[in-house]
Amino acid sequence: MAASSEKFDTIVGRTTTIQGNLMLLDSVRIDGRVVGNIEAAPDCKIAVAIGPTGEVTGDIKAHRVMVAGKVFGHIHAVDRVEFQKDSCVQGDVSYGSIAVEHGAKLSGLIIQNKALDESASASGAQAAIQSAQSTKNNS
């Protein structure tokens, strides 16, 4: 991943597989595999980074999400989401701001948060995704 000013207190190594949900109080970098949801405390500005060898099967909810690996699930980034050139995401994405490098593969709804309040922003984006999905399913 590109150099970042983020500090990661927890790292899931390349040879590690975690099965179960993660509730974060600190930023995390995932270079291994996580099967389960990843959720940051709503009042914390926590970053989740998925390294080039990282893979998450589950939803991610955090302040900032950076993906260089694979995510099979929805991403809810209150502030910013970044997709590196070889990343692969299969799921809906809600975000405050977005960066997508050429070569990133995204499959799902991409919806910008419009509310100013962070907690309202995440829940509003989730409601917009559900509304869009129901409209898509009714077509």
Side-chain angles (χ1 to χ4, degrees):
M1 294 188 79
S4 172
S5 61
E6 301 289 340
K7 177 180 180 257
F8 298 102
D9 296 312
T10 304
I11 297 175
V12 177
R14 294 176 80 155
T15 59
T16 302
T17 297
I18 295 176
Q19 292 187 339
N21 296 332
L22 300 178
M23 181 57 104
L24 305 176
L25 297 175
D26 292 312
S27 294
V28 64
R29 178 180 168 121
I30 298 169
D31 291 319
R33 188 163 186 248
V34 174
V35 179
N37 297 332
I38 300 171
E39 187 170 349
D43 56 339
C44 297
K45 295 189 175 185
I46 290 175
V48 175
I50 313 302
T53 60
E55 183 177 309
V56 174
T57 302
D59 296 344
I60 301 172
K61 293 180 183 179
H63 186 73
R64 185 172 177 186
V65 179
M66 297 160 282
V67 182
K70 297 177 182 176
V71 176
F72 303 100
H74 305 307
I75 297 174
H76 304 283
V78 174
D79 179 44
R80 182 170 174 80
V81 65
E82 299 175 15
F83 300 106
Q84 304 292 320
K85 66 178 181 163
D86 293 323
S87 63
C88 178
V89 175
Q90 292 182 2
D92 299 336
V93 177
S94 65
Y95 63 92
S97 67
I98 189 170
V100 182
E101 288 186 3
H102 180 73
K105 296 173 189 75
L106 305 174
S107 178
L109 298 171
I110 310 296
I111 299 175
Q112 184 176 26
N113 302 330
K114 295 189 179 183
L116 297 175
D117 176 20
E118 289 181 1
S119 61
S121 178
S123 62
Q126 193 166 7
I129 286 172
Q130 289 172 345
S131 173
Q133 286 174 334
S134 67
T135 301
K136 181 174 70 173
N137 292 338
N138 292 333
S139 299

